[in-house]
PDB file of all heavy atoms in Angstrom:
ATOM      1  N   SER A   2     -33.815  10.736  12.971  1.00  0.00           N
ATOM      2  CA  SER A   2     -34.106  11.585  11.820  1.00  0.00           C
ATOM      3  C   SER A   2     -35.169  10.943  10.947  1.00  0.00           C
ATOM      4  O   SER A   2     -35.249   9.722  10.811  1.00  0.00           O
ATOM      5  CB  SER A   2     -32.834  11.813  10.999  1.00  0.00           C
ATOM      6  OG  SER A   2     -31.845  12.457  11.776  1.00  0.00           O
ATOM      7  N   SER A   3     -36.012  11.787  10.356  1.00  0.00           N
ATOM      8  CA  SER A   3     -37.056  11.284   9.465  1.00  0.00           C
ATOM      9  C   SER A   3     -36.468  10.970   8.088  1.00  0.00           C
ATOM     10  O   SER A   3     -35.404  11.456   7.718  1.00  0.00           O
ATOM     11  CB  SER A   3     -38.175  12.321   9.324  1.00  0.00           C
ATOM     12  OG  SER A   3     -37.656  13.535   8.800  1.00  0.00           O
ATOM     13  N   LYS A   4     -37.164  10.150   7.346  1.00  0.00           N
ATOM     14  CA  LYS A   4     -36.730   9.756   6.022  1.00  0.00           C
ATOM     15  C   LYS A   4     -36.727  10.955   5.077  1.00  0.00           C
ATOM     16  O   LYS A   4     -37.640  11.772   5.081  1.00  0.00           O
ATOM     17  CB  LYS A   4     -37.678   8.675   5.488  1.00  0.00           C
ATOM     18  CG  LYS A   4     -37.357   8.204   4.075  1.00  0.00           C
ATOM     19  CD  LYS A   4     -38.368   7.168   3.613  1.00  0.00           C
ATOM     20  CE  LYS A   4     -38.112   6.753   2.192  1.00  0.00           C
ATOM     21  NZ  LYS A   4     -39.115   5.762   1.718  1.00  0.00           N
ATOM     22  N   LEU A   5     -35.674  11.065   4.259  1.00  0.00           N
ATOM     23  CA  LEU A   5     -35.595  12.146   3.282  1.00  0.00           C
ATOM     24  C   LEU A   5     -36.411  11.786   2.049  1.00  0.00           C
ATOM     25  O   LEU A   5     -36.346  10.664   1.538  1.00  0.00           O
ATOM     26  CB  LEU A   5     -34.140  12.390   2.884  1.00  0.00           C
ATOM     27  CG  LEU A   5     -33.222  12.931   3.987  1.00  0.00           C
ATOM     28  CD1 LEU A   5     -31.776  12.928   3.520  1.00  0.00           C
ATOM     29  CD2 LEU A   5     -33.645  14.334   4.386  1.00  0.00           C
ATOM     30  N   GLU A   6     -37.158  12.745   1.549  1.00  0.00           N
ATOM     31  CA  GLU A   6     -38.013  12.523   0.373  1.00  0.00           C
ATOM     32  C   GLU A   6     -37.235  12.851  -0.902  1.00  0.00           C
ATOM     33  O   GLU A   6     -37.424  13.887  -1.542  1.00  0.00           O
ATOM     34  CB  GLU A   6     -39.269  13.390   0.477  1.00  0.00           C
ATOM     35  CG  GLU A   6     -40.169  13.044   1.652  1.00  0.00           C
ATOM     36  CD  GLU A   6     -40.849  11.684   1.483  1.00  0.00           C
ATOM     37  OE1 GLU A   6     -40.942  11.197   0.331  1.00  0.00           O
ATOM     38  OE2 GLU A   6     -41.280  11.122   2.500  1.00  0.00           O
ATOM     39  N   PHE A   7     -36.330  11.946  -1.269  1.00  0.00           N
ATOM     40  CA  PHE A   7     -35.480  12.193  -2.425  1.00  0.00           C
ATOM     41  C   PHE A   7     -36.277  12.296  -3.723  1.00  0.00           C
ATOM     42  O   PHE A   7     -35.818  12.919  -4.682  1.00  0.00           O
ATOM     43  CB  PHE A   7     -34.428  11.078  -2.552  1.00  0.00           C
ATOM     44  CG  PHE A   7     -33.356  11.140  -1.498  1.00  0.00           C
ATOM     45  CD1 PHE A   7     -33.262  10.170  -0.517  1.00  0.00           C
ATOM     46  CD2 PHE A   7     -32.431  12.173  -1.493  1.00  0.00           C
ATOM     47  CE1 PHE A   7     -32.277  10.222   0.445  1.00  0.00           C
ATOM     48  CE2 PHE A   7     -31.435  12.243  -0.534  1.00  0.00           C
ATOM     49  CZ  PHE A   7     -31.363  11.268   0.444  1.00  0.00           C
ATOM     50  N   ARG A   8     -37.442  11.693  -3.769  1.00  0.00           N
ATOM     51  CA  ARG A   8     -38.232  11.726  -5.000  1.00  0.00           C
ATOM     52  C   ARG A   8     -38.675  13.145  -5.347  1.00  0.00           C
ATOM     53  O   ARG A   8     -39.040  13.429  -6.493  1.00  0.00           O
ATOM     54  CB  ARG A   8     -39.453  10.821  -4.860  1.00  0.00           C
ATOM     55  CG  ARG A   8     -40.391  11.188  -3.736  1.00  0.00           C
ATOM     56  CD  ARG A   8     -41.528  10.174  -3.566  1.00  0.00           C
ATOM     57  NE  ARG A   8     -42.388  10.502  -2.441  1.00  0.00           N
ATOM     58  CZ  ARG A   8     -43.358  11.405  -2.472  1.00  0.00           C
ATOM     59  NH1 ARG A   8     -43.587  12.076  -3.600  1.00  0.00           N
ATOM     60  NH2 ARG A   8     -44.096  11.650  -1.412  1.00  0.00           N
ATOM     61  N   LYS A   9     -38.642  14.044  -4.357  1.00  0.00           N
ATOM     62  CA  LYS A   9     -39.023  15.425  -4.615  1.00  0.00           C
ATOM     63  C   LYS A   9     -37.892  16.233  -5.258  1.00  0.00           C
ATOM     64  O   LYS A   9     -38.110  17.361  -5.707  1.00  0.00           O
ATOM     65  CB  LYS A   9     -39.453  16.110  -3.315  1.00  0.00           C
ATOM     66  CG  LYS A   9     -40.712  15.521  -2.677  1.00  0.00           C
ATOM     67  CD  LYS A   9     -41.082  16.286  -1.420  1.00  0.00           C
ATOM     68  CE  LYS A   9     -42.360  15.736  -0.781  1.00  0.00           C
ATOM     69  NZ  LYS A   9     -42.729  16.482   0.455  1.00  0.00           N
ATOM     70  N   LEU A  10     -36.695  15.661  -5.266  1.00  0.00           N
ATOM     71  CA  LEU A  10     -35.543  16.382  -5.799  1.00  0.00           C
ATOM     72  C   LEU A  10     -35.396  16.165  -7.295  1.00  0.00           C
ATOM     73  O   LEU A  10     -35.691  15.075  -7.803  1.00  0.00           O
ATOM     74  CB  LEU A  10     -34.259  15.918  -5.105  1.00  0.00           C
ATOM     75  CG  LEU A  10     -34.102  16.249  -3.622  1.00  0.00           C
ATOM     76  CD1 LEU A  10     -32.837  15.592  -3.084  1.00  0.00           C
ATOM     77  CD2 LEU A  10     -34.056  17.755  -3.405  1.00  0.00           C
ATOM     78  N   PRO A  11     -34.900  17.144  -7.999  1.00  0.00           N
ATOM     79  CA  PRO A  11     -34.529  16.943  -9.401  1.00  0.00           C
ATOM     80  C   PRO A  11     -33.259  16.089  -9.439  1.00  0.00           C
ATOM     81  O   PRO A  11     -32.625  15.860  -8.406  1.00  0.00           O
ATOM     82  CB  PRO A  11     -34.277  18.366  -9.917  1.00  0.00           C
ATOM     83  CG  PRO A  11     -33.889  19.134  -8.693  1.00  0.00           C
ATOM     84  CD  PRO A  11     -34.676  18.544  -7.560  1.00  0.00           C
ATOM     85  N   PRO A  12     -32.855  15.599 -10.613  1.00  0.00           N
ATOM     86  CA  PRO A  12     -31.630  14.785 -10.696  1.00  0.00           C
ATOM     87  C   PRO A  12     -30.433  15.514 -10.087  1.00  0.00           C
ATOM     88  O   PRO A  12     -30.118  16.653 -10.468  1.00  0.00           O
ATOM     89  CB  PRO A  12     -31.459  14.578 -12.210  1.00  0.00           C
ATOM     90  CG  PRO A  12     -32.842  14.719 -12.768  1.00  0.00           C
ATOM     91  CD  PRO A  12     -33.512  15.760 -11.914  1.00  0.00           C
ATOM     92  N   LEU A  13     -29.769  14.872  -9.137  1.00  0.00           N
ATOM     93  CA  LEU A  13     -28.684  15.530  -8.397  1.00  0.00           C
ATOM     94  C   LEU A  13     -27.517  15.900  -9.318  1.00  0.00           C
ATOM     95  O   LEU A  13     -26.893  16.956  -9.136  1.00  0.00           O
ATOM     96  CB  LEU A  13     -28.210  14.620  -7.265  1.00  0.00           C
ATOM     97  CG  LEU A  13     -29.228  14.345  -6.154  1.00  0.00           C
ATOM     98  CD1 LEU A  13     -28.623  13.426  -5.097  1.00  0.00           C
ATOM     99  CD2 LEU A  13     -29.675  15.655  -5.511  1.00  0.00           C
ATOM    100  N   LYS A  14     -27.206  15.032 -10.275  1.00  0.00           N
ATOM    101  CA  LYS A  14     -26.094  15.325 -11.181  1.00  0.00           C
ATOM    102  C   LYS A  14     -26.360  16.603 -11.965  1.00  0.00           C
ATOM    103  O   LYS A  14     -25.435  17.388 -12.234  1.00  0.00           O
ATOM    104  CB  LYS A  14     -25.876  14.147 -12.122  1.00  0.00           C
ATOM    105  CG  LYS A  14     -24.662  14.292 -13.019  1.00  0.00           C
ATOM    106  CD  LYS A  14     -24.451  13.050 -13.861  1.00  0.00           C
ATOM    107  CE  LYS A  14     -23.221  13.182 -14.741  1.00  0.00           C
ATOM    108  NZ  LYS A  14     -23.010  11.966 -15.580  1.00  0.00           N
ATOM    109  N   ALA A  15     -27.623  16.833 -12.313  1.00  0.00           N
ATOM    110  CA  ALA A  15     -27.961  18.027 -13.091  1.00  0.00           C
ATOM    111  C   ALA A  15     -27.784  19.302 -12.280  1.00  0.00           C
ATOM    112  O   ALA A  15     -27.564  20.385 -12.849  1.00  0.00           O
ATOM    113  CB  ALA A  15     -29.398  17.926 -13.596  1.00  0.00           C
TER     114      ALA A  15
END
Side-chain angles (χ1 to χ4, degrees):
S2 299
S3 59
K4 178 182 177 181
L5 294 172
E6 296 291 339
F7 288 112
R8 60 185 177 81
K9 295 182 179 180
L10 293 174
L13 295 180
K14 185 176 181 180

